[in-house]
Amino acid sequence: MSTISVTVEQAGHAIMLAEWLKNIRFVKSVTIDTDKTANGNVEAIQKALDSIQSKHLFTDINDPVVYQRRLRDEWR
């Protein structure tokens, strides 16, 4: 037997998906667990972005094309 875990954002979507899966003849059981918190990385990314002290990043770049060329030249 194999188990598949699916994460959806809205409880209503989970219920619709569960009902759909129950109608497949080889699916043995379907359970919905709404108590778990999502373990995605959206919150971690948002915390990292919020922790940046300067809100004026890259203001010293006058010409983005020249700036990117200099960055690429570093790798040669």
Side-chain angles (χ1 to χ4, degrees):
M1 186 177 325
S2 298
T3 303
I4 297 174
S5 175
V6 178
T7 304
V8 295
E9 291 183 7
Q10 297 179 7
H13 293 160
I15 293 168
M16 288 188 322
L17 181 60
E19 291 300 319
W20 182 75
L21 289 171
K22 288 177 188 177
N23 291 315
I24 299 174
R25 65 179 168 84
F26 57 83
V27 173
K28 299 297 179 193
S29 69
V30 177
T31 58
I32 300 175
D33 186 3
T34 57
D35 295 333
K36 289 184 179 180
T37 58
N39 56 0
N41 59 357
V42 174
E43 292 176 11
I45 292 172
Q46 189 60 52
K47 284 181 186 178
L49 290 173
D50 292 341
S51 70
I52 297 173
Q53 298 297 319
S54 175
K55 301 297 180 190
H56 304 288
L57 298 175
F58 306 113
T59 56
D60 58 334
I61 298 173
N62 295 327
D63 187 354
V65 174
V66 173
Y67 174 79
Q68 289 179 359
R69 278 191 190 130
R70 272 191 263 135
L71 286 177
R72 285 192 294 269
D73 286 344
E74 285 182 14
W75 297 99
R76 290 184 189 183

